[in-house]
Amino acid sequence: MDIRAFTVAAVLSTSAATCMAQAAPGPIEIDGKKVLTLVSNDPPGLRCNNNIQVAAELANTYKVPILIYPVSFMPPGTKAPMVWYGGENIAASGGRLNGMISFTEIADRFEVEGVTRQDKAGLLMTPAVKGSFEALKQSIKGK
């Protein structure tokens, strides 16, 4: 490998590592509970909107503190979307999961860690609301 290719590879791997090593903004725990932290584009795009929707669904099922920051309030060069749980980076634009989380992945983690469930599920998870929302998402994807 020539030195230029090696240098480019080293720079790219360093920037990816820096992106993944960035500390979560804000607290990583509130009242002894790990915080789910999202950084979203300003205005949010498709992946950011997905993450915000997943966070809303999680809040309807689990008692978990959730913080959402617009990337415009982050240090220069911060990429979005990014997601942390308890200070651990679990998704980053251009890196792990390309910044997009899913309800199932996070809910599985919550179940393993014993995150407290809501006493009753929020309205977002009722068939009428969830069905309407799924139809809306499909119509958006079709455009």
Side-chain angles (χ1 to χ4, degrees):
M1 174 172 5
D2 95 5
I3 190 70
R4 286 173 288 170
F6 178 78
T7 303
V8 168
V11 167
L12 289 175
S13 68
T14 302
S15 20
T18 303
C19 174
M20 297 303 283
Q22 182 175 347
I28 59 173
E29 272 191 12
I30 296 176
D31 292 334
K33 297 177 183 170
K34 290 182 180 180
V35 175
L36 181 65
T37 305
L38 287 70
V39 173
S40 294
N41 282 313
D42 196 10
L46 183 65
R47 292 177 298 152
C48 298
N49 282 332
N50 171 80
N51 291 349
I52 293 167
Q53 178 63 30
V54 168
E57 291 173 2
L58 290 166
N60 272 255
T61 306
Y62 298 95
K63 292 181 180 180
V64 60
I66 300 169
L67 298 174
I68 303 172
Y69 296 96
V71 74
S72 58
F73 285 82
M74 297 294 103
T78 300
K79 291 184 177 184
M82 289 183 108
V83 181
W84 291 267
Y85 177 60
E88 176 191 350
N89 183 261
I90 57 176
S93 182
R96 187 176 298 141
L97 302 175
N98 197 25
M100 198 162 79
I101 57 173
S102 75
F103 177 86
T104 304
E105 288 175 282
I106 307 302
D108 286 349
R109 178 179 283 216
F110 286 1
E111 289 296 321
V112 168
E113 293 188 12
V115 174
T116 308
R117 287 181 162 265
Q118 296 287 3
D119 297 330
K120 67 177 194 169
L123 295 176
L124 189 58
M125 302 305 280
T126 62
V129 173
K130 190 155 179 75
S132 297
F133 180 69
E134 290 301 322
L136 173 62
K137 283 197 313 190
Q138 290 307 314
S139 72
I140 292 169
K141 286 180 183 177
K143 292 184 180 190

